[in-house]
Short mmCIF file of all heavy atoms in Angstrom, two decimals:
data_model
loop_
_atom_site.label_atom_id
_atom_site.label_comp_id
_atom_site.label_asym_id
_atom_site.label_seq_id
_atom_site.Cartn_x
_atom_site.Cartn_y
_atom_site.Cartn_z
N TYR A 1179 103.24 96.14 137.83
CA TYR A 1179 103.08 95.02 136.89
C TYR A 1179 104.09 95.09 135.74
O TYR A 1179 104.22 94.12 134.99
CB TYR A 1179 101.66 94.99 136.32
CG TYR A 1179 100.62 94.60 137.34
CD1 TYR A 1179 99.92 95.56 138.05
CD2 TYR A 1179 100.36 93.26 137.60
CE1 TYR A 1179 98.96 95.20 138.99
CE2 TYR A 1179 99.40 92.89 138.54
CZ TYR A 1179 98.71 93.86 139.23
OH TYR A 1179 97.78 93.49 140.17
N ILE A 1182 110.42 94.76 137.61
CA ILE A 1182 111.07 93.55 138.10
C ILE A 1182 112.08 93.92 139.19
O ILE A 1182 112.57 95.06 139.24
CB ILE A 1182 111.79 92.77 136.97
CG1 ILE A 1182 112.88 93.64 136.32
CG2 ILE A 1182 110.81 92.26 135.95
CD1 ILE A 1182 113.77 92.89 135.36
N PHE A 1228 109.70 98.58 132.96
CA PHE A 1228 109.67 98.55 131.49
C PHE A 1228 108.42 99.29 131.00
O PHE A 1228 107.51 99.62 131.77
CB PHE A 1228 109.67 97.11 130.98
CG PHE A 1228 110.98 96.40 131.19
CD1 PHE A 1228 111.22 95.68 132.35
CD2 PHE A 1228 111.98 96.47 130.23
CE1 PHE A 1228 112.42 95.02 132.54
CE2 PHE A 1228 113.19 95.82 130.41
CZ PHE A 1228 113.41 95.10 131.57
N THR A 1230 106.11 98.10 128.88
CA THR A 1230 104.93 97.24 128.81
C THR A 1230 105.10 96.03 129.71
O THR A 1230 106.21 95.66 130.10
CB THR A 1230 104.69 96.77 127.36
OG1 THR A 1230 105.83 96.00 126.92
CG2 THR A 1230 104.51 97.96 126.42
N GLU A 1231 103.98 95.40 130.00
CA GLU A 1231 104.00 94.19 130.83
C GLU A 1231 104.62 93.03 130.08
O GLU A 1231 105.23 92.14 130.69
CB GLU A 1231 102.56 93.86 131.25
CG GLU A 1231 102.46 92.80 132.33
CD GLU A 1231 101.05 92.62 132.83
OE1 GLU A 1231 100.21 93.52 132.56
OE2 GLU A 1231 100.78 91.59 133.48
N ARG A 1232 104.48 93.03 128.78
CA ARG A 1232 105.09 91.96 127.98
C ARG A 1232 106.61 92.00 128.07
O ARG A 1232 107.27 90.96 128.20
CB ARG A 1232 104.64 92.09 126.52
CG ARG A 1232 105.22 91.04 125.60
CD ARG A 1232 104.73 91.22 124.18
NE ARG A 1232 103.29 91.01 124.10
CZ ARG A 1232 102.59 91.12 122.97
NH1 ARG A 1232 103.21 91.46 121.85
NH2 ARG A 1232 101.29 90.91 122.97
N GLU A 1233 107.18 93.20 128.01
CA GLU A 1233 108.63 93.33 128.14
C GLU A 1233 109.10 92.91 129.53
O GLU A 1233 110.17 92.30 129.68
CB GLU A 1233 109.04 94.77 127.83
CG GLU A 1233 108.79 95.20 126.40
CD GLU A 1233 109.01 96.68 126.18
OE1 GLU A 1233 109.01 97.44 127.18
OE2 GLU A 1233 109.15 97.10 125.02
N MET A 1234 108.30 93.25 130.55
CA MET A 1234 108.64 92.84 131.91
C MET A 1234 108.67 91.32 132.02
O MET A 1234 109.58 90.73 132.63
CB MET A 1234 107.63 93.45 132.87
CG MET A 1234 107.73 92.97 134.31
SD MET A 1234 106.57 91.58 134.60
CE MET A 1234 107.02 91.13 136.25
N ARG A 1235 107.70 90.64 131.45
CA ARG A 1235 107.64 89.18 131.51
C ARG A 1235 108.80 88.55 130.74
O ARG A 1235 109.32 87.50 131.13
CB ARG A 1235 106.30 88.67 130.97
CG ARG A 1235 105.14 89.01 131.89
CD ARG A 1235 103.81 88.52 131.34
NE ARG A 1235 102.76 88.77 132.31
CZ ARG A 1235 102.41 87.94 133.29
NH1 ARG A 1235 103.06 86.80 133.43
NH2 ARG A 1235 101.45 88.26 134.13
N ARG A 1236 109.17 89.19 129.66
CA ARG A 1236 110.32 88.68 128.91
C ARG A 1236 111.60 88.77 129.74
O ARG A 1236 112.39 87.81 129.79
CB ARG A 1236 110.48 89.47 127.61
CG ARG A 1236 111.61 88.98 126.74
CD ARG A 1236 111.77 89.87 125.54
NE ARG A 1236 112.93 89.49 124.75
CZ ARG A 1236 113.42 90.20 123.74
NH1 ARG A 1236 112.84 91.34 123.40
NH2 ARG A 1236 114.47 89.79 123.08
N ALA A 1237 111.81 89.89 130.41
CA ALA A 1237 112.99 90.03 131.27
C ALA A 1237 112.90 89.08 132.47
O ALA A 1237 113.92 88.50 132.90
CB ALA A 1237 113.11 91.48 131.74
N TYR A 1238 111.70 88.91 133.01
CA TYR A 1238 111.50 87.99 134.14
C TYR A 1238 111.89 86.56 133.77
O TYR A 1238 112.46 85.81 134.58
CB TYR A 1238 110.04 88.07 134.58
CG TYR A 1238 109.62 87.06 135.62
CD1 TYR A 1238 109.87 87.28 136.96
CD2 TYR A 1238 108.97 85.88 135.24
CE1 TYR A 1238 109.49 86.35 137.92
CE2 TYR A 1238 108.59 84.94 136.19
CZ TYR A 1238 108.84 85.18 137.53
OH TYR A 1238 108.47 84.25 138.47
N LYS A 1239 111.62 86.19 132.54
CA LYS A 1239 111.89 84.81 132.10
C LYS A 1239 113.33 84.61 131.66
O LYS A 1239 113.96 83.59 131.99
CB LYS A 1239 110.94 84.46 130.96
CG LYS A 1239 111.12 83.05 130.43
CD LYS A 1239 110.15 82.77 129.29
CE LYS A 1239 110.36 81.37 128.73
NZ LYS A 1239 109.46 81.09 127.60
N ASP A 1240 113.89 85.57 130.91
CA ASP A 1240 115.18 85.36 130.25
C ASP A 1240 116.37 85.90 131.03
O ASP A 1240 117.50 85.44 130.82
CB ASP A 1240 115.17 86.02 128.86
CG ASP A 1240 114.13 85.39 127.94
OD1 ASP A 1240 113.71 84.25 128.23
OD2 ASP A 1240 113.71 86.05 126.97
N SER A 1324 104.68 81.77 136.98
CA SER A 1324 104.22 82.98 136.30
C SER A 1324 103.97 84.09 137.30
O SER A 1324 103.38 83.86 138.37
CB SER A 1324 102.93 82.67 135.54
OG SER A 1324 102.42 83.83 134.92
N PRO A 1325 104.40 85.31 136.99
CA PRO A 1325 104.11 86.44 137.90
C PRO A 1325 102.62 86.78 137.86
O PRO A 1325 101.92 86.42 136.92
CB PRO A 1325 104.96 87.58 137.32
CG PRO A 1325 105.18 87.21 135.90
CD PRO A 1325 105.21 85.73 135.83
N PRO A 1326 102.12 87.43 138.88
CA PRO A 1326 100.68 87.75 138.91
C PRO A 1326 100.29 88.69 137.78
O PRO A 1326 101.05 89.57 137.39
CB PRO A 1326 100.49 88.41 140.28
CG PRO A 1326 101.85 88.90 140.66
CD PRO A 1326 102.83 87.94 140.07
N ARG A 1327 99.09 88.46 137.29
CA ARG A 1327 98.57 89.30 136.21
C ARG A 1327 97.68 90.40 136.76
O ARG A 1327 97.12 90.29 137.84
CB ARG A 1327 97.80 88.45 135.19
CG ARG A 1327 98.69 87.45 134.45
CD ARG A 1327 97.91 86.71 133.39
NE ARG A 1327 98.77 85.81 132.64
CZ ARG A 1327 99.52 86.16 131.60
NH1 ARG A 1327 99.49 87.42 131.17
NH2 ARG A 1327 100.26 85.28 130.99
N ARG A 1328 97.56 91.43 135.97
CA ARG A 1328 96.74 92.57 136.37
C ARG A 1328 95.27 92.18 136.43
O ARG A 1328 94.75 91.52 135.51
CB ARG A 1328 96.95 93.72 135.38
CG ARG A 1328 96.42 95.06 135.84
CD ARG A 1328 96.50 96.06 134.69
NE ARG A 1328 97.84 96.17 134.17
CZ ARG A 1328 98.76 97.02 134.64
NH1 ARG A 1328 98.46 97.80 135.67
NH2 ARG A 1328 99.95 97.08 134.09
#
Side-chain angles (χ1 to χ4, degrees):
Y1179 290 95
I1182 60 171
F1228 290 90
T1230 62
E1231 192 173 344
R1232 179 180 296 179
E1233 295 171 341
M1234 172 266 175
R1235 290 179 176 273
R1236 182 184 175 190
Y1238 172 82
K1239 181 180 178 181
D1240 297 339
S1324 177
R1327 295 184 177 275
R1328 193 188 304 272

